[in-house]
Amino acid sequence: MGNKHLTPDYIFESSWEVCNKVGGIYTVLSSRAKTLQDRMKDKILFIGPDFWINNEKGEDSPYFKEDKTLLADWQQEAKKHDLNVRVGRWTIPSEPIAILVDFQPYFEKKNDIYGWLWEHYQVDSLHAYGDYDEASMFSYAAALVVESFYNYYLLPQTSNQSALNVIYHANEWMCGLGALYINNKLPQIGTVFTTHATSIGRSIAGNQKPLYDYLFAYNGDQMAGELNMESKHSIEKQTAFHVDCFTTVSDITARECVELLDKPVDVVLPNGFDDSFVPKGATFTKKRKAARRRLLDVANALLGESLDDDTLIVSTSGRYEFRNKGIDVFVEAMNRLLRDRDLKKKVLAFIEVPGWVGEPRKDLQDRLEEAKTYDTPLEVPMITHWLHNMSHDNVLNMMKYYDMHNRKDEQVKVIFLPCYLDGQDGIVNMTYYDVVLGNDLCVYPSYYEPWGYTPLEAIAFKVPCITTDLAGFGLWANKVFGHVGELKDGVKVIHRTDYNYSEVADAIKDTVAEFSSMPQKEIEACRKKAGELSKKALWSEFIKFYDEAYDIALRRAQERQQLPKG
């Protein structure tokens, strides 16, 4: 095996989410970084957008620590070529090098760049709107960073005898333009492109159209026109076709790539996890107690109740994609649970999804500070923070439609916690990882979920969870178990289709009821199984798929070098 795999000497990886925490890709990159940095010590360089370079308030990314001495000679060189970069460390475990680039200056060249893109790769940027321009200018700037760095540091080290193996890894359609630029200008670099979800697939699902039953019949190009997505789809498709190695994160999205982009992936790269921040032993127990205490205190102050530690705490979380993430079916299930005779405990259900937050509720803050017991609820006892759009919020509207008002005599209470749990939300004031381990059960009934970090995070903290087989993670769990996941396995995997919403809601309701009557010994066994499964999804297990992708890209780049010119 020794000489078979080509391995990179340098990896450049670009993403909109480097030092910029906006979604799941941040978790993919930041948790994988440790494995690569341990192996390649500062020869993995992450490139992200610099939103803070001209910040009048003087704020900087909370995830970036600038270091002017790092690669200082190249920083000077970049300046000479009007490349505005800041070099430093990404403040995550192992602190890899991060290069943030200012992409604003390229907007004035936008038409020329798009012209070049059309001429060389037939990418249609004519219908661009929204974030397409911003992402493309960043992607172009990221490619210039690689070109400058390569020519300054790596080219001098290259001779016919010892060419360096270099990888450029672009994440999502947002980084496609850069991958194509590298492919054209630096053909000796092996390019890898990962689509974490096809832009068309996500759009079809988000527009209430059935995705899965008709997947074979959808024409990606035609749907792009119909859904006003031509430019994003075009850059994604052409990048998939022209890079050396095209990848995605799960078997379910690989199927989407074949049908909607007309291009099979070379490798599936499942999303792993780094469990270095999961507390151990006594610290874990202490943190779990603190999380439960806080969640119960918040609920009791809001509801005017005295729910105790015997309460079953369940939650769902993730991005606010009401249908795609299955938030609608979670509310539905909790509504049905209200009338379930098999429920043996009180249930406190949290929906931890960032909405359009106005401010933390002053009346709730006051009660929490006074730390008294109350027997009357606050008004609107379903939400912890006021929203800008209270009357147009999907969660609140659905609860209102079902007359779910967290009444005294009801066994199930549902609370919407509509903000990022960063430890400073004004009500819970704990980070997401410090809160998640307080749950008894987590529920992620996704309709569209290429991988699914939330269930993986839950089981890493030994919290059993419910997910579906429309999530890449759910399919993976079934594969590991060798059967459809059940509650006793630590992960219950519900079969979900385009049309069985009602059955899914019932399955969630029944699973929560089943959990409520489980003896403590069985719960402990279930928690243990959840933790064991998470160990099989560590980056140490999954990094081998990346090695395969790097190998494919480097081989194709080498073949390209040996082709006769002209």
Side-chain angles (χ1 to χ4, degrees), residues 145-163:
V145 166
V146 175
E147 184 179 40
S148 166
F149 189 101
Y150 185 89
N151 290 336
Y152 186 77
Y153 274 129
L154 308 186
L155 204 54
Q157 299 177 44
T158 301
S159 65
N160 288 341
Q161 285 75 42
S162 64

Side-chain angles (χ1 to χ4, degrees), residues 214-227:
Y214 292 99
L215 194 53
F216 72 94
Y218 281 125
N219 174 310
D221 299 348
Q222 184 191 331
M223 290 309 293
E226 208 176 292
L227 296 166

Side-chain angles (χ1 to χ4, degrees), residues 104-329:
Q104 295 299 331
Y106 303 101
F107 277 99
E108 57 191 51
K109 300 183 186 165
K110 186 179 79 174
N111 293 342
D112 295 342
I113 294 168
Y114 289 162
W116 179 89
L117 201 54
W118 170 256
E119 190 188 320
H120 289 86
Y121 297 101
Q122 283 67 61
V123 172
D124 165 17
S125 304
L126 274 180
H127 301 89
Y129 66 94
D131 52 355
Y132 181 85
D133 287 344
E134 199 177 28
S136 299
M137 293 311 103
F138 158 62
S139 184
Y140 178 72
L144 295 183
V145 166
V146 175
E147 184 179 40
S148 166
F149 189 101
Y150 185 89
N151 290 336
Y152 186 77
Y153 274 129
L154 308 186
L155 204 54
Q157 299 177 44
T158 301
S159 65
N160 288 341
Q161 285 75 42
S162 64
L164 283 174
N165 288 337
V166 181
I167 287 286
Y168 180 70
H169 188 166
N171 288 280
E172 287 288 80
W173 67 265
M174 285 101 121
C175 292
L177 195 161
L180 295 177
Y181 181 92
I182 298 288
N183 177 267
N184 184 280
K185 305 280 188 190
L186 296 162
Q188 64 274 42
I189 291 182
T191 48
V192 178
F193 173 52
T194 302
T195 180
H196 296 257
T198 67
S199 54
I200 288 300
R202 189 187 288 279
S203 189
I204 290 170
N207 278 287
Q208 317 296 319
K209 293 175 184 292
L211 175 63
Y212 303 97
D213 285 3
Y214 292 99
L215 194 53
F216 72 94
Y218 281 125
N219 174 310
D221 299 348
Q222 184 191 331
M223 290 309 293
E226 208 176 292
L227 296 166
N228 198 13
M229 297 281 287
E230 287 106 325
S231 295
K232 287 179 187 179
H233 174 66
S234 183
I235 185 73
E236 188 172 48
K237 185 169 176 174
Q238 295 311 322
T239 308
F241 270 90
H242 288 97
V243 289
D244 297 312
C245 183
F246 174 43
T247 68
T248 191
V249 296
S250 67
D251 294 341
I252 201 159
T253 320
R255 216 166 68 221
E256 228 177 279
C257 292
V258 172
E259 299 295 346
L260 300 175
L261 299 175
D262 307 320
K263 174 80 170 71
V265 298
D266 296 298
V267 192
V268 169
L269 306 175
N271 289 336
F273 193 71
D274 168 37
D275 68 350
S276 60
F277 45 76
V278 177
K280 311 278 184 284
T283 316
F284 184 94
T285 313
K286 193 174 152 197
K287 285 200 157 204
R288 178 164 160 79
K289 274 193 174 134
R292 293 181 69 77
R293 183 71 270 140
R294 188 63 189 165
L295 290 169
L296 289 165
D297 285 350
V298 168
N300 288 333
L302 182 64
L303 303 166
E305 296 263 357
S306 43
L307 298 170
D308 59 18
D309 199 41
D310 199 37
T311 308
L312 204 60
I313 301 179
V314 302
S315 76
T316 190
S317 55
R319 263 207 298 236
Y320 201 160
E321 293 178 23
F322 193 60
R323 176 176 184 239
N324 283 355
K325 299 289 183 196
I327 302 165
D328 53 355
V329 81

